[in-house]
Amino acid sequence: MPKQINLTAAFAFAVLFSILTPSVALAATPSIQHTLEVQIDPASGTLTVQDQMGLPDGESEWLLLLHAGLDPKVIAGDAELTPAGDFEHLTRYRLRQRSPGPVTLSYGGRIHHGLEHIDEGMGRARQWSLGTIEPNGVFLDGNSGWYPRIPDRLHTFQLQVRLPEGWTAVSQGAGPGAPETGLSTWSETQPQDDIYLIAAPFRLYREPAEGFEAQVYLRRPDDALARTYLDATAKYVALYSDLIGPYPFAKFALVENFWETGYGMPSFTLLGPSVIRLPFIVDTSYPHEILHNWWGNGVYIEYESGNWSEGLTNYLADHWMKERVGQGAEYRRDTLKSFADYVRDGKDYPLTEFRGRHGSASQSIGYGKGAMFFHMLRKQLGDETFNQGLRRFYTENRWRAASYADLQQAFEAVSARDLRPFFTAWTTRPGAPRLALTDVRLTRNGEAYRIAGRIEQIQSAPPFPLQVPVVIHRHASDPMTLIVECDERSTPFDITLASAPERLAVDPAFDIFRDLLPGETPVTLGNLFGADRGLILLPSAAPAPLQDAYRQLAENWRQGHPGWRLQLDHEVSELPDDLPVWLLGWENRHLGSFATEAPDFALDAAENHLRIGDNLLDGTVSPVLTRWRGNQPLAWLASNDAAALPALARKLPHYGKYSYLSFTGPEATNQLKGQWPSGDSALVHWFGVRPSGEGI
């Protein structure tokens, strides 16, 4: 069961993040040059290191951070090292140089931190470690304190790692040398904000590509899997090189971790053993991690003014993958819905305050709203100017920390436009506009038709600068799109047509970051997993093993979310109508109320039969359904196999955008998934009678 990180630990991690995260100073300060000779003994969890540091001239006193207990000593150079206090797992040291020149430190000891679980929302958690050396593998970064880290400084390095026979070390840059000898070597001459050291008994696959080398490190041989990733690496590096600029590193590597992760480091990604074997990852998450070598690892993030990298990477990878197969509007709608589901009162903040993902709300802001910010910018500037801005931003800011102000400067330079109002509104303000379509009128003058109306911004906050697409459908003609500049509370629009209109829709492709209106999106699991309070009802008539498994699932989801109550179904006379409700089990006594007058499915609880469209499901599968009851979201989950419920507890919170699903087997393999159809909203106006079955 996931362990929630306590507030003290969370605060300490935030402070540590602020200490170790590079800031704007990186743009102007010389880097530290490391020559590291490392020996690692995975069996004992220890390492010994000699590090010759080339320190820039002009300063004689430095603050270093190292893992506690490593007992560093100056063995070369005219300098003195003294402890300056502890912070969590790190020790601060003050290094005073009596004369210029390199300083060599020697130190060693044990680094072993177990996996922590971070709660990311109802039923969702991820694992992380401050760093570890163990028989199963090595994971070390700057937060681990395995090398002398100087806050607010970049680093270049030469790295030699001596390991047991059969082991290989991975870091950024060029390598790994000749690991078959037990010695892995890596070098990076471009300034880095961290130095990573990953090691395990890897099987290495490698292949030259255009201007770099593609590499794959697997913990067990798998030629076919390696081939898939080598080909994908070459394809996506070439694609983003053409779009943005030259790939900045000597290699890109897929590295298999020994727990489930999705980390993007400079010139490699560290993915978990299950993640890399999911068939869709190679064309979804994998290009996202490759793209981070331009955004975040090629151009660094000035965290003090907001992490722009995740939004831009999400837009150019995850969104672009959907857009190229005609699913861009659906992706943007799901993005807006996630924001509505997870960013509740008190959880919203501007993009300039986003530092990194620590839950569903922060992800919806930094990744989701961030991606929509760049989408609106692209729609405003046009594709070619937007792409020119990307290339200029990359060229001007490579190997330095950049901010939203630097993005604004680059896009203003290529567009010759003042983008300050747009950037200010969308990066420094929380919230979203809420639109209304009013006063729509159609008049005819001879053969011409004139449509007039108004677009209102009805949110309580001041108006946002918007370019609102208004799409007009005509009989036997292509749709027309009018872009309405909406910077005020109420903006009129007027258009003349040569043929009669049938339908008018405001922002039907979800090109604007805004509040969704009823009818624009179906009920999904996200409506429940994003709620701060709700009720989970257990089936009292279920067999004891099944009821116990349902209870364990519910307790798993409720952990850290005290607003959710858990009761047996017979303890509630009728379903409440003022909060989200989960019903569990075919045996649930309230299942009839859930299924009554359901428009999208037919349920026979007595026979364990369910029909969704043309799909007839029986009691051998584990179905999941949602529905609206008024504005109240309801959901139902059932299984006749208690062994499947732990997997369902783990998986379902990651299916938040779906309205219905079914799973098979104890491993809960997904068989069916989808969303209920949406209808029209108040942003759609029909001229005349709306055809039966038509919707957005």
Side-chain angles (χ1 to χ4, degrees), residues 97-329:
Q97 284 183 284
R98 289 185 282 262
S99 60
V103 174
T104 302
L105 300 183
S106 176
Y107 54 90
R110 187 170 186 265
I111 298 179
H112 181 81
H113 296 273
L115 294 179
E116 294 283 346
H117 294 263
I118 300 176
D119 179 22
E120 292 194 317
M122 187 175 175
R124 296 185 62 174
R126 62 185 171 95
Q127 295 176 310
W128 72 290
S129 173
L130 282 169
T132 188
I133 302 171
E134 56 187 85
N136 208 26
V138 176
F139 173 83
L140 300 171
D141 65 0
N143 294 334
S144 309
W146 76 272
Y147 67 91
R149 190 164 188 182
I150 299 176
D152 287 339
R153 292 289 178 149
L154 295 174
H155 310 265
T156 61
F157 65 88
Q158 301 284 330
L159 172 62
Q160 294 185 347
V161 186
R162 181 72 63 181
L163 289 156
E165 183 177 350
W167 282 59
T168 303
V170 183
S171 188
Q172 59 258 61
E180 63 276 4
T181 68
L183 182 67
S184 298
T185 59
W186 292 92
S187 64
E188 181 54 75
T189 59
Q190 298 291 354
Q192 304 291 295
D193 62 357
D194 204 341
I195 304 175
Y196 298 89
L197 201 170
I198 313 299
F202 289 122
R203 169 69 180 272
L204 170 60
Y205 300 83
R206 60 200 307 181
E207 187 169 272
E210 187 66 32
F212 75 106
E213 183 175 75
Q215 299 179 353
V216 172
Y217 294 82
L218 299 179
R219 295 174 66 85
R220 64 178 187 268
D222 190 332
D223 294 354
L225 183 65
R227 179 77 267 155
T228 296
Y229 279 99
L230 289 172
D231 291 344
T233 300
K235 177 175 73 172
Y236 288 119
V237 169
L239 185 153
Y240 289 124
S241 295
D242 289 342
L243 176 66
I244 303 167
Y247 179 69
F249 296 101
K251 64 101 176 32
F252 186 81
L254 168 75
V255 183
E256 182 178 358
N257 201 10
F258 55 99
W259 77 90
E260 297 302 334
T261 52
Y263 296 153
M265 284 80 164
S267 78
F268 71 98
T269 182
L270 189 64
L271 301 183
S274 297
V275 172
I276 65 171
R277 290 170 174 83
L278 294 171
F280 56 84
I281 289 295
V282 72
D283 287 314
T284 54
S285 299
Y286 193 58
H288 182 109
E289 302 305 340
I290 288 176
L291 182 55
H292 266 309
N293 287 278
W294 284 266
W295 312 133
N297 294 327
V299 178
Y300 299 123
I301 303 159
E302 184 188 299
Y303 283 95
E304 293 173 355
S305 58
N307 178 352
W308 49 267
S309 170
E310 293 298 353
L312 184 54
T313 302
N314 189 29
Y315 184 61
L316 295 178
D318 307 66
H319 174 272
W320 181 80
M321 294 296 165
K322 293 294 186 181
E323 189 178 49
R324 68 174 184 163
V325 294
Q327 298 175 6

Side-chain angles (χ1 to χ4, degrees), residues 332-389:
R332 293 189 293 274
R333 184 195 65 180
D334 290 342
T335 296
L336 299 181
K337 188 174 188 306
S338 292
F339 187 88
D341 289 344
Y342 295 108
V343 184
R344 304 280 174 161
D345 292 341
K347 294 182 179 179
D348 196 9
Y349 51 80
L351 287 175
T352 49
E353 295 181 15
F354 172 70
R355 304 292 182 262
R357 177 173 64 93
H358 52 80
S360 298
S362 59
Q363 181 171 345
S364 296
I365 296 170
Y367 290 65
K369 184 177 183 178
M372 290 298 297
F373 166 78
F374 287 105
H375 180 70
M376 291 188 293
L377 181 62
R378 174 186 158 205
K379 299 296 285 187
Q380 185 174 143
L381 300 182
D383 289 358
E384 182 53 38
T385 302
F386 180 77
N387 293 343
Q388 290 175 6

Side-chain angles (χ1 to χ4, degrees), residues 348 425 429-434 456-464 487-489 515:
D348 196 9
R429 290 176 55 185
R434 188 174 182 86
E456 317 272 355
Q457 293 195 44
I458 60 174
Q459 72 278 0
S460 60
F464 288 81
D487 299 339
E488 305 295 335
R489 281 288 181 197
D515 285 342

Side-chain angles (χ1 to χ4, degrees), residues 441-696:
R441 303 179 305 280
L442 175 64
T443 57
R444 183 174 180 178
N445 184 7
E447 298 299 318
Y449 296 81
R450 180 185 174 213
I451 301 174
R454 304 188 76 86
I455 296 174
E456 317 272 355
Q457 293 195 44
I458 60 174
Q459 72 278 0
S460 60
F464 288 81
L466 299 174
Q467 290 191 338
V468 181
V470 177
V471 179
I472 300 151
H473 293 262
R474 299 167 294 168
H475 180 67
S477 299
D478 292 335
M480 290 185 60
T481 299
L482 172 70
I483 302 298
V484 181
E485 298 272 356
C486 297
D487 299 339
E488 305 295 335
R489 281 288 181 197
S490 180
T491 304
F493 65 87
D494 192 310
I495 186 171
T496 300
L497 309 172
S499 58
E502 293 184 333
R503 176 176 175 270
L504 179 150
V506 173
D507 191 33
F510 308 98
D511 290 310
I512 295 170
F513 184 78
R514 59 182 175 84
D515 285 342
L516 292 172
L517 300 185
E520 289 193 281
T521 183
V523 61
T524 68
L525 294 182
N527 290 96
L528 292 101
F529 285 125
D532 292 326
R533 55 189 291 268
L535 175 65
I536 304 175
L537 290 177
L538 301 176
S540 54
L546 195 55
Q547 188 178 132
D548 289 344
Y550 280 130
R551 184 178 294 275
Q552 186 64 41
L553 174 145
E555 294 290 2
N556 184 317
W557 286 354
R558 290 179 62 238
Q559 186 170 2
H561 301 276
W564 278 83
R565 294 185 289 113
L566 176 61
Q567 290 183 265
L568 289 167
D569 55 1
H570 72 262
E571 297 173 338
V572 177
S573 60
E574 61 182 26
L575 294 180
D577 59 7
D578 61 344
L579 76 173
V581 178
W582 266 104
L583 304 177
L584 303 182
W586 287 102
E587 306 85 356
N588 200 295
R589 69 189 299 265
H590 297 286
L591 189 52
S593 298
F594 173 82
T596 298
E597 298 181 354
D600 302 305
F601 61 86
L603 178 62
D604 184 342
E607 297 295 329
N608 283 193
H609 283 173
L610 169 67
R611 181 178 292 279
I612 303 174
D614 295 331
N615 299 285
L616 181 61
L617 309 177
D618 59 24
T620 63
V621 304
S622 301
V624 183
L625 297 179
T626 63
R627 68 167 299 185
W628 288 119
R629 189 173 69 165
N631 292 322
Q632 176 193 24
L634 305 177
W636 168 66
L637 157 67
S639 180
N640 287 320
D641 184 2
L645 291 172
L648 289 167
R650 184 178 69 253
K651 290 184 176 184
L652 280 179
H654 299 276
Y655 284 84
K657 71 177 184 179
Y658 295 105
S659 304
Y660 60 87
L661 305 110
S662 71
F663 299 85
T664 59
E667 70 285 354
T669 301
N670 181 242
Q671 178 192 47
L672 177 70
K673 61 186 177 184
Q675 293 181 338
W676 304 129
S678 297
D680 279 343
S681 78
L683 295 180
V684 173
H685 181 88
W686 287 91
F687 299 96
V689 179
R690 170 188 167 188
S692 176
E694 291 285 350
I696 292 180

